[in-house]
């Protein structure tokens, strides 16, 4: 367990806010698969949420099963970030996170994300204002940052200490600098320095946590209180549950069988259709099936069938067919290399097929 002020997390594994990917259907999928202590929205522009632009409202949407729920906001000292924090609380956020680590140009050009690392004094004052804005309701404010802009400007340890003094209740540190983006390896020593710099608040380690053993290595090397999983979750959302079991019991348990992975993909499809629409489902699964397929062995015909599907019903039928094949193959962890019969043409009653249990 882990505490962020008054909010108690069941697990020490957090799902990262990944721009373009951690929408409500995906957060719910990860939660259902287990191991998620806290899940966050995609990063939200503070002005967009206050204007309630349609895209921002979709990104900020939640559900009773999406709890505890964190909204990550970005903006500069000149932006209405405190007002956006109050808006987030009014719209279901149990935790507010300030993005101080995104290296993407479109965020930094608006003086948000990692650019906040370049002006520590202004950033601390901004954090104080956000904390004060939601203090009445007791909502904790956290911050996600990188080590610094580059290796010559490492500010994270000192900044984390000052953020704690400003009222920030948890810090997540990605072990790379802004100019690294995602190149090279995460600097565990740099993460350890941030953990050593704060007095009492939890520190979460982020970067290169791809499975149970890398999570253990992160915690043992740095002393952090938990880990945050980002890109690894996009291709294997079940990995958070295995990491949590490893941290809590010492044993990650057996790897998922092929049928379990296929059911997870099908459930992702169902959740997208529940909260969005068929177009969103097609766009998402056509892209992600290649990532999901990396853990499934020789499933090229499956990936091709999903990529060329023209309806959600077709994707559901294809996944169901491959579930049957997995059972016929003895339900291994990965589909063995062998000839696979071609899929029959899509049936026309897509809606009826999708509705089948």
């Amino acid at each position: 367990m882990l505490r962020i002020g008054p909010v108690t997390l069941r697990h020490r594994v957090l799902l990262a806010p990944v721009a373009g990917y951690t929408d409500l259907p995906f957060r719910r999928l990860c939660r259902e698969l287990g191991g998620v202590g806290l899940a966050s929205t995609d990063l939200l522009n503070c002005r967009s949420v206050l204007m309630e632009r349609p895209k921002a409202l979709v990104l900020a949407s939640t559900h009773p099963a999406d709890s505890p729920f964190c909204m990550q906001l970005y903006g500069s000292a000149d932006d209405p970030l405190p007002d956006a924090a109050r808006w987030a609380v009014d719209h279901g956020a149990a935790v507010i996170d300030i993005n101080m680590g995104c290296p993407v140009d479109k965020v930094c050009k608006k003086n948000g994300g990692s650019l906040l690392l370049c002006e520590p004094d202004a950033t601390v004052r901004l954090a104080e204002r956000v904390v004060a804005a939601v203090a009445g309701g007791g909502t904790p404010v956290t911050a996600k940052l990188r080590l610094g802009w580059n290796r010559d400007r490492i500010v994270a340890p000192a900044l984390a200490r000052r953020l704690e003094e400003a009222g920030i209740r948890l810090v997540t540190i990605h072990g790379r600098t802004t100019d690294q983006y995602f190149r090279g390896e995460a600097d565990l020593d740099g993460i350890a320095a941030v953990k050593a710099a704060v007095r009492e608040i939890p520190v979460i380690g982020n970067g290169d946590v791809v499975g149970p053993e890398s999570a253990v290595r992160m915690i043992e090397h740095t002393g952090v209180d938990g880990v945050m999983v980002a890109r690894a979750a996009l291709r294997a959302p079940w990995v958070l549950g295995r990491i949590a079991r490893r941290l809590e019991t010492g044993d990650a348990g057996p790897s998922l069988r092929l049928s379990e992975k296929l059911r997870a993909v099908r459930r992702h499809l169902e959740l997208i259709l529940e909260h969005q629409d068929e177009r969103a489902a097609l766009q998402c699964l056509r892209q992600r099936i290649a990532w999901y397929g990396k853990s499934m062995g020789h499933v090229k015909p499956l990936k091709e069938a999903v990529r060329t599907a023209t309806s959600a019903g077709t994707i559901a039928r294809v996944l169901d067919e491959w579930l049957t094949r997995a059972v016929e193959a003895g339900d291994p962890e990965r589909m063995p290399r062998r000839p696979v019969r071609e899929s029959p043409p899509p049936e026309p009653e897509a809606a009826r097929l999708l509705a089948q249990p």
Side-chain angles (χ1 to χ4, degrees):
M1 295 178 64
L2 181 69
R3 291 187 64 84
I4 309 175
V7 178
T8 299
L9 308 185
R10 183 178 176 184
H11 304 288
R12 294 188 292 158
V13 184
L14 284 65
L15 176 64
V18 183
Y21 298 102
T22 51
D23 57 11
L24 175 56
F26 187 69
R27 295 197 306 272
R28 284 192 62 190
L29 174 68
C30 291
R31 291 183 188 277
E32 290 181 8
L33 291 169
V36 178
L38 182 72
S40 175
T41 62
D42 190 334
L43 65 169
L44 300 166
N45 182 297
C46 62
R47 293 184 182 274
S48 293
V49 297
L50 290 172
M51 295 175 67
E52 297 195 344
R53 291 175 174 165
K55 182 178 179 180
L57 291 179
V58 170
L59 294 177
S61 62
T62 187
H63 182 274
D66 184 31
S67 177
F69 170 54
C70 173
M71 281 197 200
Q72 188 188 70
L73 303 170
Y74 78 89
S76 71
D78 297 325
D79 288 322
L81 206 56
D83 294 332
R86 284 190 290 267
W87 184 95
V89 172
D90 292 341
H91 288 77
V95 177
I96 304 297
D97 187 69
I98 306 174
N99 185 310
M100 301 182 184
C102 181
V104 177
D105 284 346
K106 75 172 185 177
V107 175
C108 292
K109 284 179 179 177
K110 296 179 181 178
N111 296 322
S114 283
L115 205 63
L116 294 178
L117 302 175
C118 298
E119 298 288 343
D121 292 343
T123 297
V124 171
R125 290 194 296 270
L126 175 62
E128 290 173 339
R129 290 167 51 214
V130 175
V131 168
V134 297
T139 304
V141 181
T142 65
K144 186 174 188 294
L145 47 151
R146 285 187 171 225
L147 297 176
W149 189 264
N150 55 40
R151 297 304 304 182
D152 296 326
R153 301 164 75 183
I154 299 297
V155 301
L159 180 57
R161 178 70 169 266
R162 295 182 66 187
L163 289 171
E164 179 179 22
E165 294 169 351
I168 292 296
R169 306 301 292 270
L170 175 146
V171 166
T172 299
I173 176 66
H174 184 106
R176 291 181 175 86
T177 58
T178 300
D179 68 348
Q180 281 184 276
Y181 284 83
F182 298 100
R183 298 186 296 269
E185 296 182 354
D187 181 353
L188 297 186
D189 290 335
I191 293 173
V194 174
K195 173 59 181 175
V198 303
R199 293 188 178 93
E200 296 180 354
I201 63 172
V203 174
I204 303 299
N206 176 226
D208 299 344
V209 178
V210 298
E213 298 314 311
S214 57
V216 170
R217 182 166 58 254
M218 168 76 78
I219 290 174
E220 290 181 345
H221 188 103
T222 67
V224 293
D225 302 280
V227 297
M228 179 174 280
V229 184
R231 290 172 292 169
L234 303 182
R235 58 179 177 269
W238 46 82
V239 75
L240 291 97
R242 301 196 71 237
I243 291 172
R245 285 192 296 273
R246 176 67 173 85
L247 297 181
E248 293 161 13
T249 70
D251 183 2
S255 299
L256 267 68
R257 313 314 298 168
L258 181 57
S259 64
E260 294 173 303
K261 297 172 184 177
L262 290 165
R263 289 191 184 97
V265 179
R266 197 186 197 289
R267 180 57 177 156
H268 193 184
L269 172 66
E270 293 168 354
L271 288 167
I272 300 171
L273 292 172
E274 179 178 341
H275 294 292
Q276 298 175 13
D277 57 25
E278 185 173 48
R279 180 179 178 182
L282 289 170
Q283 182 177 359
C284 178
L285 269 298
R286 284 170 177 168
Q287 177 191 55
R288 297 205 198 183
I289 192 61
W291 302 348
Y292 286 143
K294 289 182 183 298
S295 69
M296 296 182 186
H298 300 282
V299 293
K300 184 177 179 180
L302 166 65
K303 293 186 288 185
E304 187 63 22
V306 173
R307 279 197 296 262
T308 59
T310 58
S311 73
T314 299
I315 295 178
R317 180 188 55 75
V318 168
L319 291 170
D320 288 342
E321 180 182 301
W322 277 79
L323 273 166
T324 299
R325 294 183 183 185
V327 173
E328 291 175 350
D331 199 10
E333 179 184 345
R334 298 167 64 88
M335 182 63 77
R337 184 186 294 276
R338 63 180 177 83
V340 179
R341 66 182 185 275
E342 292 297 324
S343 301
E347 296 181 23
E349 297 113 1
R352 178 181 63 79
L353 289 168
L354 184 57
Q356 291 178 355

